[in-house]
């Protein structure tokens, strides 16, 4: 059982304060959905936790199993078990999916340990089949010229290969068609039911994803912090009423 | 006394004195008179020309202080003793590993590992694969027509003359009309000790012939070497010639390499030079597009690190209508390294419908590295398409973060991104094993 604790986190980009006192604890196997209007700092939160160098953590802490990870670079955090599925994944021309994932898997091996290439490809192909990604994609450049949905599926493929302890999934549902959404959700649910189920932070705008990946908790983020938390019914309420009532309720408090 | 010392240190011949040249000529006693005369004339040219000076535009940005000609030997006998049996074995193995059924290897100028063998089937169709020293005896006309036959226009008249004067041996490949050689021909050159080396490769692909030649240049140990090599490529009408070279001399080497490529009607030449080694390496490449439909693809990849300097000068001369040239030189620079790219496209007055492209792209992996670009055009025809450009960029921090967020450490991420940057060039090679071999060589520069 692992635990990711985000404690009163404040994040600034340059001198602009974006995340303003965000606190949340996620345990293995839990799914926390975060919803909130555009520009409230959801992606900033996710990238800051993942270790983006441009995002300054002005106060607060992020603890993985009780130990702060803030001094670690992004790659160390990833190797400690953190995974960020990007809202806008980078395109990397000239670097094939196969070589990229191989480097990521290799990075997790002990010093001097050699990657078993046959086993690696076997595992990669199995995951690709599961996510219904054409095997031809292995030789394509990472996200280069991918459709929006292909990029998101590729993010899930990486997550499936790297088996993180905690996944921050930033609008993985946007750009997915109905079938792809189901495939992705099945992929996530498979991990969820597995022996080493990750803790998941699911950033989304839409209830339809939450129909497939049913969250344990739903949080509303507004102006850089959580202003309301509830169970899955909160998402339905938001879908019906929009964010205005949350804002009013929050402003009144 | 002090005055004469001064003159000596300023001597433009360095170790390549007239005594050294006389000794070299003596070692070439079996060669015909015309060849020796040619060498004598070249030595005269070499000795009479000054070293490049600051005011010389074709040496702009080059570190002239690095062009030292002192401290090397040209005594072949001296080196013969140094070639150990174990080195001989290594070389034979490498050749096999590289898959060449035809190949040659040279240790400090000397052909090595047995005579050059032309498979019977190819020999019967007129293919000649032999040493330069034998070719000057047996194939005088071809040598006269093609050996260092193009004008040296890129600044190294002196060093090209030095090459001709001291060239000891090399490879001569003649592929007659219509003959296609499926497997790449592999040529290895290894420098050892303080021996000055003068590798030479001459490839003549006659009408509709097809051949791939791969050359590799390296050193035993880390000794300071002096390399002054040349390759002459000739593609007759409709011929297809692929030339791949990997320069990986020791880090203390001063290297010069001169290429001339002649492309006749409807012929196609693709050359890819990989630059990894040497302290200071000057590479001059000339493509002459001489017949309608001729196409020269000029590719280069460089990984510069430490205090290395790679100095690349190119000339694309379109002499006939409807010709095409496509140059793409990519440099990755680390540490305090330096690169220079100076390229010129020349379109002669009657070379209408020329399609010429020239691009130099630099990936700056360090703030202390220096990439200089001097692209140029000289167009005398009015109906042409010529594009040129140079860019320098850094690693995209978002791409780097993306890779790091997958657990890949920054140096590995940068290596991956450098390979990504190079892929545009590497992917032009349709030979998969060759592509992999080059990737492997590039990878050695990132070993930590
Ligand atoms: N590099 C940056 N420089 C300046 N401002 C930035 C930068 N990146 C994000 N911001 C700002 O920070 C705020 C939060 O952005 P963020 O991307 O975190 O929002 P979000 O909640 O993920 O929105 P969405 O739902 O649209 O994805 C926005 O106002 C955005 O314009
Ligand atoms: Mg966002």
């Amino acid at each position: 059982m692992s635990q990711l604790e985000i404690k009163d986190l404040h994040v600034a980009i340059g001198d602009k304060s974006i995340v303003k006192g965000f606190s949340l604890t996620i345990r293995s196997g839990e799914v926390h959905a975060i919803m909130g209007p555009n520009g409230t700092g959801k992606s900033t939160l996710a990238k800051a936790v993942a270790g983006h160098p441009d995002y300054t953590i002005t106060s607060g802490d992020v603890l993985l199993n009780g130990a702060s990870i803030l001094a670690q670079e992004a790659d160390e955090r990833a190797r400690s078990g953190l995974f960020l599925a990007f809202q806008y994944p980078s395109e990397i021309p000239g670097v094939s999916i196969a070589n990229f994932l191989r480097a990521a898997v290799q990075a997790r091996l002990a010093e001097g340990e050699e990657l078993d290439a046959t086993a690696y490809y076997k595992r990669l192909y199995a995951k690709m089949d599961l996510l219904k990604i054409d095997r031809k994609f292995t030789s394509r450049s990472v996200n280069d010229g991918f459709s929006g949905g292909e990029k998101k599926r590729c993010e899930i493929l990486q997550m499936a290969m790297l088996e993180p302890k905690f996944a921050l999934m930033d609008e993985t549902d946007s750009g997915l068609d109905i079938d792809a959404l189901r495939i992705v959700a099945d992929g996530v649910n498979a991990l969820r039911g597995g022996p080493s189920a990750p803790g998941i932070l699911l950033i989304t705008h839409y209830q339809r994803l939450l129909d497939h990946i049913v969250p344990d908790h739903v949080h509303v983020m507004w102006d850089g912090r959580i202003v309301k938390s509830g169970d899955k019914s909160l998402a339905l309420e938001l879908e019906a009423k929009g964010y205005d009532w949350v804002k009013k309720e929050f402003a009144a408090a | 006394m002090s005055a004469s010392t001064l003159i000596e240190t300023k001597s433009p011949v360095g170790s390549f004195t007239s005594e050294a040249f006389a000794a070299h000529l003596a070692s070439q006693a079996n060669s015909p008179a015309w060849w020796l005369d040619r060498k004598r004339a070249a030595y005269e040219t070499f000795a009479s020309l000054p070293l490049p000076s600051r005011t010389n535009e074709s040496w702009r940005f080059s570190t002239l202080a690095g062009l030292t000609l002192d401290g090397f030997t040209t005594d072949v006998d001296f080196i013969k003793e140094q070639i150990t049996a174990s080195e001989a074995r290594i070389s034979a193995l490498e050749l096999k590993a590289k898959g060449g059924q035809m190949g040659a290897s040279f240790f400090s100028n000397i052909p090595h590992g047995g005579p050059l063998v032309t498979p019977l089937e190819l020999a019967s169709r007129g293919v000649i694969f032999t040493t330069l020293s034998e070719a000057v005896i047996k194939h005088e006309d071809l040598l006269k027509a093609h050996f260092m036959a193009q004008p040296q226009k890129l600044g190294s008249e002196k060093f090209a003359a030095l090459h001709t004067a001291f060239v000891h041996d090399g490879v001569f490949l003649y592929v007659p009309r219509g003959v296609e050689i499926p497997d790449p021909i592999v040529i290895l050159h290894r420098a050892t000790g303080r021996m000055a080396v003068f590798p030479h490769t001459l490839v003549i692909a006659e009408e509709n012939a097809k051949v791939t030649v791969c050359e590799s240049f390296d050193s035993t140990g880390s000794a300071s070497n002096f390399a002054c090599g040349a390759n002459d490529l000739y593609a007759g009408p409709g011929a297809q010639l692929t030339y791949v070279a990997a320069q990986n001399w020791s880090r203390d080497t001063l290297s010069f390499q001169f290429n001339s490529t002649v492309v006749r009607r409807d012929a196609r030449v693709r050359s890819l030079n990989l630059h990894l080694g040497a302290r200071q390496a000057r590479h001059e490449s000339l493509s002459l597009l001489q017949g309608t439909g001729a196409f020269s693809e000029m590719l280069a990849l460089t990984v510069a690190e430490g205090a290395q300097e790679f100095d690349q000068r190119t000339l694309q001369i379109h002499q006939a209508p409807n010709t095409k040239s496509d140059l793409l030189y990519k440099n990755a620079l680390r540490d305090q390294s330096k690169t220079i790219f100076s390229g010129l496209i020349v379109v002669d007055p009657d070379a209408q419908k020329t399609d010429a492209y020239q691009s130099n792209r630099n990936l700056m992996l360090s703030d202390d590295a220096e990439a200089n670009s001097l692209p140029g055009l000289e167009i005398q025809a009015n109906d042409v398409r010529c594009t040129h450009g140079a860019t320098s960029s850094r690693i995209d921090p978002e791409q780097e973060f993306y890779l790091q967020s997958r657990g890949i450490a920054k140096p590995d991420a940068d290596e991956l991104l450098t390979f990504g940057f190079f892929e545009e060039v590497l992917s032009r090679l349709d030979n998969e094993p060759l592509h992999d071999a080059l990737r492997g060589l590039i990878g050695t520069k990132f070993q930590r």
Side-chain angles (χ1 to χ4, degrees), chain A residues 79 84 91 108 155 158, chain B residues 398-399 402-404 406-407:
Chain A
R79 293 195 301 273
L84 169 61
E91 300 189 0
R108 285 162 173 79
E155 293 292 289
Q158 294 168 41
Chain B
E398 293 306 321
Q399 292 181 345
Y402 188 75
L403 295 179
Q404 278 192 275
R406 298 321 185 220

Side-chain angles (χ1 to χ4, degrees), chain A residues 17-195:
Chain A
S17 171
I18 310 272
V19 176
K20 305 165 185 170
F22 185 100
S23 295
L24 181 66
T25 298
I26 308 170
R27 288 173 198 84
S28 300
E30 290 179 355
V31 175
H32 292 252
I34 301 237
M35 306 182 83
N38 296 129
T40 46
K42 303 180 295 295
S43 296
T44 304
L45 169 79
K47 285 202 245 181
V49 170
H52 196 294
D54 289 353
Y55 296 19
T56 318
I57 297 192
T58 48
S59 69
D61 209 344
V62 180
L63 309 169
L64 183 59
N65 294 332
S68 174
I69 57 167
L70 292 188
Q72 296 180 352
E73 283 214 41
D75 57 294
E76 286 179 83
R77 297 186 197 189
R79 293 195 301 273
S80 305
L82 222 55
F83 183 88
L84 169 61
F86 286 70
Q87 182 176 4
Y88 303 110
S90 284
E91 300 189 0
I92 309 184
V95 177
S96 70
I97 299 261
N99 284 344
F100 161 59
L101 268 173
R102 202 185 156 123
V105 172
Q106 180 96 47
R108 285 162 173 79
L109 299 179
E111 184 85 29
E113 197 183 337
E114 279 294 320
L115 181 94
D116 178 346
T118 322
Y120 160 72
Y121 273 103
K122 208 174 144 189
R123 212 162 78 80
L124 177 60
Y125 288 144
K127 307 275 185 201
M128 290 180 87
D129 293 350
L130 208 70
L131 291 164
K132 300 209 167 48
I133 299 174
D134 193 321
R135 290 183 182 192
K136 285 200 201 83
F137 269 74
T138 50
S139 58
R140 282 186 60 177
S141 295
V142 176
N143 296 324
D144 190 18
F146 286 22
S147 74
E150 286 167 346
K151 282 182 186 166
K152 295 304 171 79
R153 252 191 273 188
C154 182
E155 293 292 289
I156 301 307
L157 172 66
Q158 294 168 41
M159 180 174 154
M161 284 297 284
L162 300 177
E163 296 178 340
K165 292 195 187 91
F166 291 95
L168 315 170
M169 302 176 66
D170 193 356
E171 296 196 26
T172 302
D173 52 334
S174 67
L176 291 179
D177 63 42
I178 297 155
D179 291 339
L181 184 72
R182 184 173 315 245
I183 292 163
V184 163
D186 288 349
V188 172
N189 286 329
L191 289 174
R192 225 179 146 180

